[in-house]
Amino acid sequence: MTETATGTDWQSWQQSWDRQQEWYMPDREERFRVMLDMVEAVVGPEPRVLDLACGTGSITDRLLTRFPRASSTGVDLDPALLAIARGTFDGDDRVTFVTADLKDPAWPGKLPHTSYDAVLTATALHWLHSEPLAALYGQLGQLVREGGVFMNADHMIDTDTPRINAAERAQRHAAMDRARADGALDWAQWWALAAKDPVLAAPTAERFRIYGEHADGDMPSPRWHAGTLREAGFGEARTVWASPSDSLVLAVK
């Protein structure tokens, strides 16, 4: 079911979010594929998953398409993206959504389960600075069951390679400019449309009150993520996929 009593076509909003995100990350589907490959490899095809900072539920959507017997708990604070997620998955008893602030130490208490086979997140935790992110990783070390996995696919900057970073950024932004000329929506344009929607206008206004305009996190390197996850109680952690700008770090409890 993608349409509710409001008459809102939630599936269209879900798809438009995906297209907007792909403007920034044309390899977005590849990182999701590798993420789910590793879920299956480590914990099997029927996992209980925590979709961390879930947004519209992009990971949950791909998870349940590939693994119909999986279940997902999506957690986020963004009221507009959660509205799209809840509308998209309305009536699907495999999915639960929770409103919570990941910077609140008590947020795990809002979850329906005390442990998960896999905790998955993508392009979200760069909103956090290193100190609260390390604290979050410590909490995830308690939420992931023994033998379970955590995966984070995000912008991770290696400051030891400034020339490579500059070249990659210039090339990526040139490609984005070409896509914009062909009609792709950027972040600001997408949110401007949401702000005009009768159903999403109020939660969009609340979203900007909570978050502001832009992320201000630190975006530390993959080495930092892997090391911090090991310190949080994970036995192994390393990069399992990378693009020139992003990395997918996997940690096994």
Side-chain angles (χ1 to χ4, degrees):
M1 175 188 267
T2 62
E3 209 168 290
T4 65
T6 65
T8 301
D9 186 346
W10 295 114
Q11 193 65 51
S12 291
W13 277 109
Q14 180 78 245
Q15 291 168 355
S16 72
W17 174 260
D18 283 342
R19 301 294 84 77
Q20 178 258 126
Q21 289 287 285
E22 287 166 0
W23 181 68
Y24 295 93
M25 298 165 288
D27 50 23
R28 187 167 178 258
E29 291 302 323
E30 177 68 6
R31 74 190 67 194
F32 288 148
R33 182 191 66 77
V34 174
M35 180 180 281
L36 296 181
D37 281 352
M38 296 310 298
V39 166
E40 185 172 24
V42 181
V43 300
E46 300 181 19
R48 174 192 289 170
V49 170
L50 177 61
D51 186 350
L52 190 72
C54 64
T56 65
S58 295
I59 289 175
T60 293
D61 178 48
R62 288 148 182 82
L63 172 78
L64 298 180
T65 297
R66 178 158 168 178
F67 306 126
R69 296 176 66 84
S71 64
S72 178
T73 302
V75 60
D76 208 304
L77 187 61
D78 189 312
L81 298 185
L82 277 174
I84 295 170
R86 289 185 168 114
T88 300
F89 295 96
D90 184 36
D92 191 332
D93 61 8
R94 298 171 296 176
V95 185
T96 303
F97 290 104
V98 174
T99 301
D101 185 350
L102 297 180
K103 290 191 265 188
D104 177 358
W107 74 268
K110 296 185 175 183
L111 300 176
H113 307 291
T114 57
S115 71
Y116 288 85
D117 301 313
V119 177
L120 309 177
T121 188
T123 328
L125 300 188
H126 64 274
W127 283 79
L128 297 178
H129 286 285
S130 298
E131 186 174 341
L133 182 54
L136 177 63
Y137 280 177
Q139 293 176 304
L140 297 181
Q142 302 301 312
L143 276 172
V144 175
R145 69 160 172 83
E146 201 68 29
V149 299
F150 166 70
M151 278 181 269
N152 180 14
D154 209 346
H155 311 312
M156 299 181 186
I157 298 173
D158 189 336
T159 56
D160 293 336
T161 58
R163 289 183 295 168
I164 295 172
N165 297 349
E168 181 280 323
R169 178 180 172 82
Q171 191 276 339
R172 174 163 45 91
H173 279 262
M176 290 166 66
D177 288 344
R178 291 192 296 271
R180 194 205 302 268
D182 290 336
L185 292 180
D186 65 16
W187 170 270
Q189 291 168 324
W190 190 90
W191 281 109
L193 289 176
K196 295 176 182 177
D197 183 85
V199 175
L200 290 176
T204 294
E206 177 66 8
R207 179 245 180 255
F208 280 96
R209 188 193 69 77
I210 294 169
Y211 289 107
E213 292 288 339
H214 300 290
D216 61 353
D218 300 329
M219 290 184 274
S221 71
R223 281 193 309 279
W224 181 94
H225 286 272
T228 304
L229 286 162
R230 287 191 290 268
E231 291 171 3
F234 290 88
E236 300 178 9
R238 70 169 176 88
T239 300
V240 293
W241 174 90
S243 73
S245 61
D246 292 9
S247 294
L248 170 58
V249 171
L250 180 154
V252 178
K253 184 72 180 293

